[in-house]
Amino acid sequence: MNIDDIKTVAVIGAGDMGHGIAEVALIAGYKVFLRDINQEFIDRGVARIHESLEKLVSKEKVPAEHHNKIRSELLVPCTDLKGAVEEADLVIEAIPEVLDLKKTTFKEMDAAAPVNAIFASNTSTRSITDIAAATKRPDKVLGLHYFNPAVLMKLVEVIRADKTSDETMQIGFEFVQKNGKVPVRVQKDVPGFVVNRVQAPSGVLLNCILDEGIAGPEEVDAVMRKLGMPMGPYEIMDYTGLDINYNGSQYFADKIHPDFAPGKTIEFKVNAGEFGKKTGKGLFDWSKGRPEIDLAKATDKFDPMDLVAVNANEVTKIVAMGVCSLEDADTAVVNATGNVMGYIAMIKGIEPEDLTKRLDGLAEKFNKEIFKPTEMIKNGHYR
Ligand SMILES: NC(=O)c1ccc[n+]([C@@H]2O[C@H](COP(=O)([O-])OP(=O)(O)OC[C@H]3O[C@@H](n4cnc5c(N)ncnc54)[C@H](O)[C@@H]3O)[C@@H](O)[C@H]2O)c1
């Protein structure tokens, strides 16, 4: 099988991610069956696709005729799983993050889809290997991890589970390219894959800065805004949701190292029901729209390079594990975040001794083993 055999796609789940993944494939010209569990959810997903396409047509990014073709021909909404997958060459699952639900769904897909069809999961935190084990075709199962919103974000991580074949990886990779996205191969099914994993240590450091009263959210965000970030890191936490941040930290603490456990300030906020933007209050007040950050509050009480150093250190850990290359980790970060450079590019000019000293200093100051420099950092093999 090769990429030209992929003509019909089924997307299972029409929520935040599923409707976006379907839209991207429709724009690329694929026939897409979109399935959700009831008509109301399907109607909502379809409406979101058309609203977004209308905007793209008005910006001349999608021709009006193509939108008409999507409406009349390419998009097939359905509530029946069998009907959705029986003609599919590729099935992409984007249902809630519950392992048992995903396994049951994959089992049903396995019984109803053509024997050659490839199955992908968009999971962020479940093991693709565990999901694949629910089918009789684990060689044809992989992760295709899109970022939110799928229509805008360029990166898709293409994840190899324990039994994924080279052919399946290659087809997944080329499918992402055909969708106008940037694929990065993730060669091992590790928690957080690449982007979420390599950004986790700076999250820990930001928690330390808050919890130990070194600097406040506005002081830190003002520094990062002055450096050109459209949103500072604490505002991003609020924007995404402190509950999501809390759960993500807990997940990494369970799966990777206890040092990733949620920060005390975040825990306090979550227990108080202050989740950020969605509740109107979090680290900032969102009641009047986006919080105003006073750039004059920029502080020198923390060094932004520390955030880069701990994340770059994490990149070297997953590279040593054979998850991806240094270059691919940077490509992934740039295309998932909009940062102009990846963490490795940012540390290239720094001497290994200086970086080692910085990371040892952070590990000691905050009592975090995860900040300790790796061998690759110490011997300068990131240059
Ligand atoms: N939201 C994000 O930022 C994000 C980013 C990357 C990956 N993900 C992953 O994508 C997946 C979906 O997340 P989401 O944010 O789109 O969730 P969501 O809750 O917005 O959408 C899930 C949809 O799946 C539907 N559903 C439930 N059971 C189903 C079934 N058996 N068959 C078909 N549809 C079913 C629900 O009705 C709902 O419409 C999760 O695995 C999540 O971890 C989410």
Side-chain angles (χ1 to χ4, degrees):
M1 223 179 146
N2 65 46
I3 185 63
D4 297 329
D5 297 317
I6 308 291
K7 296 192 170 71
T8 302
V9 177
V11 178
I12 309 302
D16 287 341
M17 296 307 295
H19 92 276
I21 294 169
E23 182 182 344
V24 169
L26 288 161
I27 294 170
Y30 287 97
K31 180 167 185 180
V32 177
F33 288 79
L34 179 62
R35 193 250 169 169
D36 209 302
I37 43 177
N38 66 39
Q39 198 59 41
E40 187 193 335
F41 296 148
I42 258 298
D43 288 346
R44 186 153 179 269
V46 169
R48 289 173 87 182
I49 290 176
H50 288 306
E51 272 165 34
S52 167
L53 283 169
E54 270 154 26
K55 281 191 202 142
L56 293 173
V57 169
S58 70
K59 289 184 189 157
E60 298 186 357
K61 290 190 172 156
V62 170
E65 312 84 77
H66 189 61
H67 187 188
N68 290 338
K69 188 174 174 194
I70 288 172
R71 215 186 271 282
S72 61
E73 205 182 302
L74 296 182
L75 174 58
V76 189
C78 48
T79 50
D80 161 40
L81 184 73
K82 186 166 179 292
V85 303
E86 65 191 356
E87 286 177 40
D89 306 306
L90 170 66
V91 184
I92 307 175
E93 166 272 313
I95 66 173
E97 197 70 326
V98 179
L99 184 61
D100 282 346
L101 180 64
K102 291 199 191 272
K103 281 176 142 180
T104 315
T105 304
F106 270 68
K107 200 169 174 199
E108 286 169 18
M109 283 157 43
D110 200 31
V115 284
N116 281 331
I118 289 178
F119 293 170
S121 175
N122 184 50
T123 183
S124 299
T125 60
R126 302 298 125 166
S127 148
I128 315 281
T129 305
D130 286 350
I131 297 170
T135 73
K136 294 195 184 78
R137 62 180 94 195
D139 58 315
K140 294 191 172 61
V141 180
L142 80 168
L144 286 180
H145 188 223
Y146 290 72
F147 287 73
N148 194 12
V151 176
L152 294 181
M153 306 304 283
K154 283 277 172 209
L155 179 71
V156 181
E157 293 176 329
V158 181
I159 302 138
R160 186 191 285 276
D162 285 3
K163 295 193 175 153
T164 311
S165 70
D166 290 346
E167 183 182 285
T168 300
M169 282 296 282
Q170 186 60 24
I171 292 173
F173 189 89
E174 290 179 36
F175 175 75
V176 171
Q177 285 179 320
K178 282 203 144 198
N179 278 257
K181 300 282 170 194
V182 177
V184 163
R185 282 191 178 83
V186 181
Q187 300 288 15
K188 283 198 175 143
D189 185 12
V190 294
F193 311 128
V194 173
V195 171
N196 291 343
R197 167 80 183 255
V198 305
Q199 298 199 112
S202 60
V204 174
L205 183 52
L206 287 160
N207 282 336
C208 294
I209 291 169
L210 264 191
D211 293 349
E212 302 197 11
I214 292 171
E218 193 173 7
E219 291 176 296
V220 171
D221 277 16
V223 174
M224 303 311 279
R225 290 277 293 276
K226 280 175 100 174
L227 287 172
M229 271 183 86
M231 237 191 222
Y234 291 114
E235 192 182 344
I236 293 177
M237 283 188 200
D238 260 3
Y239 183 84
T240 323
L242 299 183
D243 51 332
I244 305 230
N245 180 290
Y246 181 91
N247 291 335
S249 303
Q250 196 64 64
Y251 168 71
F252 282 127
D254 291 344
K255 297 280 178 188
I256 305 175
H257 194 287
D259 280 356
F260 285 104
K264 289 191 186 66
T265 311
I266 303 292
E267 188 167 30
F268 178 81
K269 291 272 171 196
V270 169
N271 287 338
E274 296 176 9
F275 296 166
K277 182 174 187 245
K278 61 186 151 190
T279 59
K281 195 162 183 242
L283 297 168
F284 295 102
D285 179 10
W286 291 76
S287 59
K288 297 184 197 78
R290 210 184 145 178
E292 286 217 2
I293 307 294
D294 180 359
L295 298 189
K297 296 224 168 102
T299 179
D300 58 5
K301 285 181 269 178
F302 95 105
D303 182 349
M305 203 55 208
D306 288 345
L307 299 174
V308 174
V310 293
N311 287 355
N313 193 42
E314 197 70 18
V315 171
T316 63
K317 288 182 201 170
I318 62 167
V319 169
M321 287 160 66
V323 174
C324 66
S325 64
L326 290 170
E327 295 74 22
D328 275 357
D330 271 7
T331 304
V333 166
V334 166
N335 287 287
T337 61
N339 289 356
V340 271
M341 261 194 237
Y343 302 117
I344 297 299
M346 289 192 226
I347 60 162
K348 273 240 150 73
I350 306 178
E351 294 295 333
E353 303 79 61
D354 294 342
L355 206 49
T356 300
K357 206 168 143 204
R358 185 186 284 269
L359 287 163
D360 273 331
L362 289 167
E364 196 182 333
K365 181 172 178 187
F366 296 113
N367 192 22
K368 295 283 181 198
E369 207 181 309
I370 54 165
F371 295 160
K372 281 190 182 153
T374 60
E375 287 308 309
M376 208 185 283
I377 294 284
K378 286 190 215 166
N379 60 29
H381 283 173
Y382 54 87
R383 307 183 101 187

